[in-house]
Every structure is written in C-alpha cells, then in structure tokens.
Amino acid sequence: MAGPPAGDGPEPALFSWEFATDPYPAYAWLRTHAPVHRTTVPSGVDAWLVTRYADARQALADPRLSKNPAHHHSDKTGIPGERSAGLMTHLLNIDPPDHTRLRRLVSKAFTPRRVAAFAPRVQELTDRLIDGFADRGEADLIHEFAFPLPIYAICDLLGVPAEDQDDFRDWAAVMIHHGKGPRGGVARAVKKMRAYLAELIHRKRAALGGGDAADDDLISGLIRASDEGEKLTESEAAAMAFILLFAGFETTVNLIGNGTYALLTHPAERARLAADPALLPSAVEELLRYDGPVELATWRFATEPLEICGQRIAVGDPVLVVLAAADRDPARFADPDTLDLSRRDNQHVGYGHGIHYCLGAPLARLEAQTALGTLLRRLPDLRLAGETSELRWRGGLIMRGLRTLPVHFGRSL
C-alpha cells in the first residue's frame, strides 16, 4: 500500500472505488484538516467520522456514545436484515447492564486456555485447505483459504454440525459479497441463518434436557447458562450465535487476506518473517495496525450533547470511529505508513478499545498466525498473479477486505 501524503491538497472524495482501494491519503487529510468530520455515508445516513488516535480512544470508551440503534431514527445503521430477522439483541447493539451480562456468558468461550486448546483444530483446517489447491500452482486465497478457514473454525466453536457447515458457508458468502448478489440477498441469508440457529438451539436444548452427554460448544454453553438462571432468552441466544458467526468470520477473512497481500507487496518484511517465525505474534499486530480488517468501528449514538476534539456532537448523532485512520496517526505511531513486523510500541485499535473490545480477538489472532505462518512455510515462493492495480476491494462501510487474491506458487512443502 502506497504511503499517503501529509494531508495537504483539496478535500478528498470519500467512499468512491478509488477511496476503497486506498483510503489512507483521505484519512491523512481528515486527520490534519477535519479530525471530526460530518459526512453522508453510502446508506444515506449523516454521521461524524473520528480520525485521530487520541480522539478515537476517547470515543470508543465514552459511555455517552451508546451502541443501541434505538437512539437514532434510521434503520440503516446495522447489519442488513438483522432487524427483520429479530437478531438485534447482540453485543454490537446493546449497552450495560445487558452488554455486561451477555459478554460475561460468551467470554468463557474465548479464554486463553480455550483458544489454545483449539489451536490443533485450526492447524488441521489450515493444512486441509492448502492441500486442496497445493498441487495446482495457483489459487484465489480469499475464496479458497481466507474465507473458509474462519467459517469452519467458528462453526466448530459454536457447535454447528459438520453436515450443516456448508450451508453456513453459502449464507456467509452472500453476506460478505453483498455488493455482487441479488437485491435483498443479504436479508434473505440472515433470515435463513436465524431460522437455522433457532432450530439448532431447540435441538441442543432438547438433547441437554433428555440427559444426553453435554456438548462442549458455545451454543450448548449458552443454553446451560440460560437454564441455570442467567436469564438468556432464546432470541438473545440466537442473536449472540449470529453475531459471533458474522463478526467472527468476516474480520478474520480480511485479516488473513489483507495480511497476506501486505506481505506479498513488502518482500523484505515477508523474508524477515519467513526466516524468523517467532516474529508471527508481533507481525499479526502490525498487520492489524497497518491495514486491518475493520476500517470503521460499528455505529455509536450520542445519548447527550458532547464534544470530541472541540466539535459539538448533538443528541442522537451517529459517530463512526475510523480505526484505520487512528492506526496511521503520526502523533501516536512512528513512521505509521511503514510496515514494520517487529514494531514494539504498537497499542493499535484494530480490534477496538473499551468494553466493546472485540471478544473474538484471541481466536482471530490464532487463526491469522496459523494461516500466515503455514502459507509462508508450505508455499515459500507464493507470489501475486497479476498486477496490484487489478485487485478490487469490497465496497462497504465497516469492513476492509479484498474481493479476490489470485496467487501463483511452485511445489508445496
């Protein structure tokens, strides 16, 4: 990714295809000239963009900025179809005390011990996917690798039976490629996923009630917690499972895809990592900072008048914290437009900050370290197929990721 200018010149156009390809020059301009900037996003909603690191950290932790869409009149500020499918009561849409209660229930699935125990399964999935294309000498690393890996991993974690996981992959494909499908396709996919989750929860509850051996998966854990007095409704359980699937796969697809692309376009850094796999943990943190999977944090709404960087925000105004801009802020990071896989001072906000910090970040980090490390080891001469100018980034407001990543390589190890 080419480094942006210092933020000079005319005000840039936002949300164009050119902007999607490389938004960082525009964010540099905003940080310099309009760090809290009111704009109209593609859905037609007027919102404030927060682009400086210090302001971003403040906004992400400010209790006056609610996650509840009820504080805004528009129905265009969430995931398409979630409202009509009855999937609104999840962690991205609620505040304390409900947020505290639900997060406590789900956090048990993402403890360091639980994630570490899942590592062999992630490695197995990674190797199986590479085996599927290793003999061809070419692949689309988004479609054949970065996309299916987190889908199968999160399905395993939730307890979706293996015979149903391809259905989830199909629904997820519609959701992640929503710009290319038929009108209303995302909403239909969300409703199908909602109906399946409700039926799966019913089956698992019946199995637990019938004395069958308890499964050690997240959905069964949510059911047990509900039945033991945690006051988790069926709608809350379905919404929770849905958001873990949705947030848990698309962010990791983009982390693996963007990370691989960054390595392929920075050969010196890639060579360092290939020579020293012990760099993987710090490398993944730098890839999250440099060109992370979540471009803007999900919607927040002012519940009372407030100021950010001297800009007055009115009650009900939507606020979007631009994580990608904050993580390239030269006031916080030395040489922010340089990819440095051994960067030490790297308190990025790639997975948020505050009480809404991404719950699945430990699993995403495990998947990214496993995926990138295995690619470098097994496909040492991996290279882009074609020019970088031919690649296309998916349109959308929150996430940042490639549509495709075609590569060539020689013999697999």
Side-chain angles (χ1 to χ4, degrees), residues 50-93:
V50 179
T51 56
R52 289 179 179 171
Y53 180 88
D55 300 327
R57 294 260 298 189
Q58 172 197 329
L60 290 170
D62 194 327
R64 297 171 297 177
L65 292 174
S66 169
K67 298 290 290 175
N68 190 338
H71 291 291
H72 187 61
H73 59 82
S74 173
D75 62 354
K76 298 179 180 180
T77 59
I79 300 168
E82 65 175 356
R83 189 181 301 270
S84 61
L87 290 169
M88 294 293 291
T89 53
H90 57 68
L91 289 174
L92 296 186
N93 286 341

Side-chain angles (χ1 to χ4, degrees), residues 121-372:
R121 177 57 175 158
V122 173
Q123 185 65 64
E124 177 187 349
L125 289 169
T126 299
D127 283 319
R128 189 181 77 191
L129 290 168
I130 293 176
D131 288 343
F133 56 76
D135 292 337
R136 292 208 319 263
E138 62 180 15
D140 174 2
L141 285 185
I142 300 298
H143 177 73
E144 298 181 74
F145 185 65
F147 176 75
L149 175 59
I151 276 287
Y152 293 140
I154 199 70
C155 280
D156 280 357
L157 194 68
L158 285 167
V160 176
E163 62 270 20
D164 297 338
Q165 292 186 8
D166 283 341
D167 287 335
F168 268 88
R169 177 174 174 166
D170 292 342
W171 296 330
V174 173
M175 293 162 67
I176 200 171
H177 295 112
H178 57 83
K180 299 176 68 177
R183 185 177 180 85
V186 176
R188 285 191 293 273
V190 169
K191 288 181 179 179
K192 288 178 181 178
M193 191 178 286
R194 170 66 171 87
Y196 174 83
L197 288 170
E199 193 269 335
L200 180 62
I201 290 169
H202 177 76
R203 286 192 343 238
K204 287 182 176 287
R205 175 170 273 128
L208 291 171
D212 291 358
D215 292 326
D216 188 30
D217 61 71
L218 181 52
I219 290 179
S220 294
L222 291 173
I223 293 168
R224 281 193 296 271
S226 179
D227 292 345
E228 292 167 5
E230 288 282 1
K231 298 181 181 179
L232 183 72
T233 67
E234 186 273 340
S235 291
E236 286 176 332
M240 185 66 70
F242 165 74
I243 200 59
L244 288 172
L245 276 163
F246 184 81
F249 86 84
E250 187 169 6
T251 54
T252 311
V253 173
N254 294 346
L255 175 54
I256 296 171
N258 297 4
T260 304
Y261 175 67
L263 293 176
L264 292 177
T265 52
H266 293 79
E269 289 299 288
R270 173 195 170 175
R272 287 179 67 199
L273 183 57
D276 184 9
L279 274 177
L280 271 169
S282 69
V284 167
E285 298 310 305
E286 176 67 348
L287 293 168
L288 280 164
R289 183 202 68 81
Y290 180 76
D291 197 16
V294 186
E295 189 166 342
L296 284 74
T298 50
W299 295 86
R300 284 165 167 79
F301 309 94
T303 59
E304 59 182 85
L306 63 128
E307 285 191 6
I308 304 176
C309 195
Q311 177 64 61
R312 294 185 60 81
I313 310 295
V315 173
D317 278 2
V319 174
L320 290 165
V321 178
V322 188
L323 306 179
D327 279 340
R328 296 280 192 106
D329 188 344
R332 175 59 185 82
F333 299 99
D335 300 318
D337 303 311
T338 298
L339 182 70
D340 177 4
L341 299 185
S342 60
R343 186 183 294 269
R344 294 184 181 274
D345 182 17
N346 201 358
Q347 295 292 320
H348 62 76
V349 290
Y351 275 132
H353 171 64
I355 65 170
H356 291 283
Y357 182 83
C358 178
L359 190 63
L363 178 61
R365 288 182 165 103
L366 168 67
E367 292 175 328
Q369 290 179 32
T370 304
L372 296 174

